[in-house]
Amino acid sequence: GQRIGSGVEVSDGLVFAGSNNLYAVDIATGTEEWSFSPGDGIGSGIEVSDGLVFAGSFDNNLYAVDIATGAQEWSFSTGSSVNSGIAVSGGLVFAGSFDNNLYAVDIATGTEEWSFPAGQRIRSGVEVSDGLVFAGSDNSNLYARGTVSGEDRESVQLYNSDGTGWGFVL
């Protein structure tokens, strides 16, 4: 067997988890409903929205998979593995990559709306609140970006865990 290396998400009576494949398992019966095979294993968080399951892979892609069938709807290629958490808001999917970027991808088409160079790999969770998307980077920074445009407020750096403190106030 393969280790479960992804986040886990529950929706519509199914639990979704990733290892070498992305799996959908019926919660009541434990029966596998479908599995999706990317080019390499799933290492990201998993998010469900608008009838799609979103997951990132070690094959450098963010995938959108139909929740009912497991069929691939689209894939978005990054420069390295997609190991971060994933968030969905306002018709966009947000994910970080080991290519040092945070991406905003159109939920319907899989096309890039904007990207933000964080300086180092993004492997943290990704969350959206009050029109901002938050993600942490391996350079010890926590970033906040505007969800629609990708623009920051006063500063790119929200917080640095090395003790230098807050970059701006929300």
Side-chain angles (χ1 to χ4, degrees), residues 18-43:
S19 63
N20 56 328
N21 295 326
L22 174 63
Y23 296 96
V25 177
D26 185 283
I27 293 172
T29 66
T31 303
E32 180 183 310
E33 294 295 312
W34 53 257
S35 68
F36 168 75
S37 299
D40 203 344
I42 301 291

Side-chain angles (χ1 to χ4, degrees), residues 65-107:
V65 177
D66 185 275
I67 193 171
T69 66
Q72 179 179 318
E73 293 292 318
W74 53 256
S75 67
F76 172 76
S77 181
T78 71
S80 191
S81 61
V82 179
N83 293 49
S84 75
I86 295 174
V88 177
S89 180
L92 297 173
V93 182
F94 303 95
S97 172
F98 273 26
D99 71 359
N100 306 341
N101 289 294
L102 174 65
Y103 293 95
V105 179
D106 185 278
I107 195 171

Side-chain angles (χ1 to χ4, degrees), residues 124-166:
S124 75
V126 176
E127 289 292 329
V128 175
S129 180
D130 295 328
L132 293 172
V133 58
F134 298 89
S137 173
D138 278 2
N139 62 8
S140 303
N141 290 328
L142 173 63
Y143 294 100
R145 306 295 295 181
T147 55
V148 175
S149 65
E151 294 298 318
D152 63 303
R153 296 244 176 129
E154 296 173 22
S155 170
V156 171
Q157 177 184 315
L158 175 63
Y159 178 78
N160 187 295
S161 64
D162 70 5
T164 58
W166 293 94

